[in-house]
Amino acid sequence: MANEQEEGLSAEGELNQKERQAAAVSTHPAGRPAVEQLVSDTYAAALDPLHYDQLLDTWQAYLTAGSPRDFIASTSRIKLIHRQVETHFSQAFEILEQVGTRSKETNTEQEFLEHIPSPAIVLNASGCVVAKNSLTSSLAVPLGPDRQLDLKSLLGDEGAESDVRAWLRSGGEHFASLSARMTHQSNRQTYILIGHKLTIGSRSSKTKQDRHLLIFVSPQLTNELRTQLTDMFSLTSAETDIVSALASGVTLQWIADTRGTSVDTVRSQLKSIFRKTGTSGQSDLVRLILSFCFTHALVDHADFPKTDVLSTPKDHAVERTFQLSDGRCLSYFELGDPSGTPVLFFHGILSGPRLSSKIAEHARDRGLRIIAPSRPGYGGSDRLRMDSVDWVCKRLNEDVNELLACLKVEHAVIAGHMMGAVYAFQFAAFRPELTRAIISVSGAIPIVEARQIRSLPPRQRVIAYTALHTPKLLPFLVRAGISQIKAGHEDRFLYALYKSSPADLDALRDPLIRQVALEGVHHAVSAGPHGFCMDSQVLLAQWPNSPSEVRCPVRIFHSPDDTVVSIEDVKSFAATHDFPVTEAEGGQFMLHRSDVLLEAVAEFV
C-alpha cells in the first residue's frame, strides 16, 4: 500500500541528479544562514507564541530550498534534514510542553521567574533590573545607578553587550541567543544567554506591562545527560569529554594538555563531533549543548501555572463521555432532537463537533438527532496509539460502533466535514447495513498527486510537507501552534490559516461563524498535538477502504471558493465513482453559511 501511495505522489516524476545536488548544497550545515535562522526561530517560537508564523515561513523555506520544483514534494524523501535540526525541534518541543505560554498567565515578575530553572532577570525597556530569581545569587550581577544592569561587566564581551542593547532598543520582540563569558563569583564560566519579551499580568488584568527576560544557561553535564548525548549523536567517550569541556569554556590547548595529547588530535576529534551533531563550529556546538542542558532542566523543574482555555456556553449541544471496552473515554456531542432520526457527524481537524446553534435549532425543527464524536486525541477523548493508518481507521470505526450500539442507533445518515469526510467513507464501508447515505461537506478526497499538496495554501502546505517527509518533527510544529492559540492569539492563527481564501475571511466576519471556528480550534488543541498529527498521517495516506466499496447513496457538496481542496479535483474524484456533486458558495465554512447538510439529510429520512 505504501508503494502505491508513493507511486501516486510521484506522478510528476522524480528529481534529476542536478536538482538533488542543488537541494543538498542549500541545506547542508555549511550553508549556515538558513540553518541559523531556523534554529533561532525554533527556540523563538518555543518562548514567544507570536513567532510561530515566522517559524513556519522559515521552515518551509528550509524544506524547499535549492530546487525551483519544490523538491520536498517528490517521493524520493531525500534525507537532508540533518540531525541538528531534529534535535533542536525535539528540545523546543520539550520547552513548550513544560512552559508553553504559561509565562503570560502569571501575575508578577517574581512568580514567573521562580519557575525558571536557571538564573533569570527581568528588565524594563531601559535596561533596569525589576526582578531576579533566587538562582541569580550564584552570579555576580553588577547593578549601576537606579538598578541599571551593567551589561559590560556582566557579559565580559563587547559584542555580546552590543547585541543585547540592540535587542532591547528594538523592543525585544524576538528571541536572542549568544554564547558569552560571564563572571561567576571567582570563576569564569561560559553561558548561553536567552532573551525574549513577555507580558506581565493575567489575560483578564487591566494593567499589563512589557518586560524583557534574560535567562543564563550554564552547562551541567550530569552522567545522565552525558549518556543521552552519547546515545543521541553516537559520540565516543572521548568525544563526549571534549564536548563537555568546550561547553565549559576551556580552550583546545587546555583539552589537549589535560588529555595528554596534541591539539591536532583534538581538532581531528572535533571535526568528527561537528559531523555527527550537524554543527558548523565551536560556537554552534556550544549553543546546541547549552540549549540541551536548559531543556532538560525545564523537564525536571516544578510544574507551572495552568493556561486558560476558551470557555463557551454549551446550551445548544450536550457533551457526554462514553467508556469504551478497552477503558478509554470517547467524548461526543448531541444536538437537535434527542428522539429524532440519527445523523452521525465526523468533524474536521480544526473544525470541531459542536456545530453552531443555528444548525442545532434547524436540526431540532427537522426532527434530526446529530451525534458528533470527538476522535481520539481531540477534546475529551483519550488518545489512541499511532500505528498504521489501516489500524487507526479500524480502531476508530470500532470506537464509534460501540458508541452507536450503546445509544441503540440502528441506522444513520453519515456526514463528514473537511477531514471528517475521510472517516465518513471509512465507517460506511465498515458498517454498510447501518448507513443510509454519506454526505460530504467541503470534504477531503484521496491525495493521489504531488500537485495536490503543492497547490495547498501556505500554512496547510508546510504542515503536509512535514507530515509526509519528516513526521517526527510534526509534533513540535503543532505544539508551537497550540502555544499561539492558548496564548490568546486565536485570531492571528485563523487569519494565517485562511488568508489566501477571501470567502473564508468573509465568513469569519460573522460572529456566529467566528465563534464556531474558535471552538473548533480549541477542540483540536485542548488535548495536545496527538489528534492533529494522527489525522495528518491519515489524510496523506491511501484510504484503507476505497470509496468504490461504498454501496449507499453519496452526496458531495463543495464550494468553488475552497482553496484547500479544489472543486476540479473533487469533480474528478466524484466522476471516478459516479458520485453527484453540488456546488455551493461559502468556501470551507459552507457548512455554517447554508442549510446544505440538513437539506441533504432530509432526502434520506
Side-chain angles (χ1 to χ4, degrees), residues 18-36 38 60-68 71-72 78 80-82:
K18 184 176 181 181
E19 286 174 315
R20 292 175 188 239
Q21 291 172 348
V25 169
S26 69
T27 56
H28 190 274
R32 296 310 301 163
V35 178
E36 289 275 5
L38 178 59
Q60 176 163 274
Y62 183 81
L63 285 174
T64 59
S67 171
F71 83 95
I72 200 69
I78 308 168
L80 297 179
I81 311 302
H82 47 72

Side-chain angles (χ1 to χ4, degrees), residues 25-315:
V25 169
S26 69
T27 56
H28 190 274
R32 296 310 301 163
V35 178
E36 289 275 5
Q37 185 65 46
L38 178 59
V39 171
S40 178
D41 287 341
T42 297
Y43 288 106
L47 292 171
D48 184 357
L50 290 176
H51 210 85
Y52 178 62
D53 303 304
Q54 176 62 44
L55 168 65
L56 287 191
D57 290 343
T58 304
W59 175 235
Q60 176 163 274
Y62 183 81
L63 285 174
T64 59
S67 171
R69 295 187 56 224
D70 237 359
F71 83 95
I72 200 69
S74 79
T75 56
S76 55
R77 301 194 181 195
I78 308 168
K79 302 293 185 179
L80 297 179
I81 311 302
H82 47 72
R83 191 175 295 160
Q84 178 205 17
V85 175
E86 294 190 26
T87 301
H88 282 297
F89 267 49
S90 175
Q91 293 173 12
F93 178 83
E94 293 295 339
I95 291 176
L96 282 168
E97 287 292 281
Q98 289 295 315
V99 182
T101 61
R102 288 168 284 194
S103 66
K104 300 189 181 291
E105 298 303 319
T106 56
N107 294 320
T108 68
E109 293 92 336
Q110 197 63 43
E111 180 184 352
F112 169 59
L113 286 176
E114 293 304 334
H115 287 292
I116 296 177
S118 293
I121 296 172
V122 172
L123 309 173
N124 62 19
S126 60
C128 291
V129 177
V130 295
K132 58 182 180 178
N133 64 10
S134 57
L135 294 177
T136 57
S137 61
S138 63
L139 294 172
V141 183
L143 301 179
D146 300 323
R147 295 178 59 81
Q148 189 82 16
L149 180 64
D150 187 349
L151 285 176
K152 186 174 183 180
S153 299
L154 179 65
L155 302 178
D157 182 280
E158 291 185 1
E161 178 191 2
S162 176
D163 287 344
V164 172
R165 292 201 182 280
W167 176 69
L168 288 172
R169 285 195 301 271
S170 70
E173 291 286 351
H174 302 301
F175 167 88
S177 69
L178 51 94
S179 182
R181 297 182 65 84
M182 297 171 16
T183 302
H184 183 285
Q185 296 185 9
S186 61
N187 297 323
R188 307 283 297 178
Q189 188 169 338
T190 299
Y191 287 84
I192 186 172
L193 180 61
I194 295 178
H196 90 110
K197 187 175 182 179
L198 70 156
T199 300
I200 299 299
S202 65
R203 193 177 304 173
S204 59
S205 174
K206 293 182 179 179
T207 59
K208 297 183 180 181
Q209 296 177 313
D210 289 337
R211 292 290 189 250
H212 305 285
L213 173 67
L214 295 180
I215 306 173
F216 308 103
V217 186
S218 62
Q220 296 180 1
L221 288 185
T222 63
N223 290 334
E224 179 184 1
L225 290 182
R226 285 175 58 90
T227 299
Q228 291 183 20
L229 280 173
T230 300
D231 293 343
M232 181 179 295
F233 298 111
S234 301
L235 301 176
T236 65
S237 177
E239 289 170 342
T240 303
D241 289 341
I242 292 174
V243 167
S244 179
L246 284 174
S248 298
V250 301
T251 64
L252 294 186
Q253 185 63 60
W254 186 93
I255 296 174
D257 292 344
T258 303
R259 300 182 61 80
T261 186
S262 68
V263 173
D264 288 340
T265 299
V266 175
R267 286 198 179 101
S268 177
Q269 293 172 308
L270 196 54
K271 289 180 181 178
S272 174
I273 294 170
F274 292 157
R275 184 177 67 255
K276 291 180 178 180
T277 59
T279 52
S280 63
Q282 291 184 40
S283 62
D284 194 26
L285 177 63
V286 169
R287 183 184 294 112
L288 172 66
I289 302 307
L290 291 176
S291 58
F292 179 84
C293 293
F294 179 62
T295 300
H296 281 266
L298 280 172
V299 172
D300 294 334
H301 203 59
D303 194 17
F304 283 73
K306 300 295 183 183
T307 299
D308 293 337
V309 296
L310 183 71
S311 59
T312 54
K314 296 178 172 57
D315 54 331

Side-chain angles (χ1 to χ4, degrees), residues 328-349:
R328 288 181 298 116
C329 285
L330 186 71
S331 169
Y332 67 98
F333 287 88
E334 282 198 78
L335 54 157
D337 182 355
S339 59
T341 301
V343 178
L344 176 61
F345 179 83
F346 288 97
H347 63 82
I349 294 179

Side-chain angles (χ1 to χ4, degrees), residues 451-491:
R451 171 191 54 76
Q452 290 173 266
I453 296 179
R454 287 203 297 272
S455 63
L456 288 170
R459 179 59 56 88
Q460 289 87 339
R461 183 169 63 245
V462 69
I463 294 297
Y465 283 170
T466 306
L468 184 63
H469 295 284
T470 56
K472 289 182 179 180
L473 305 185
L474 184 59
F476 167 67
L477 293 183
V478 177
R479 186 61 184 80
I482 292 174
S483 175
Q484 187 180 66
I485 292 165
K486 288 191 173 183
H489 303 301
E490 304 100 331
D491 286 327

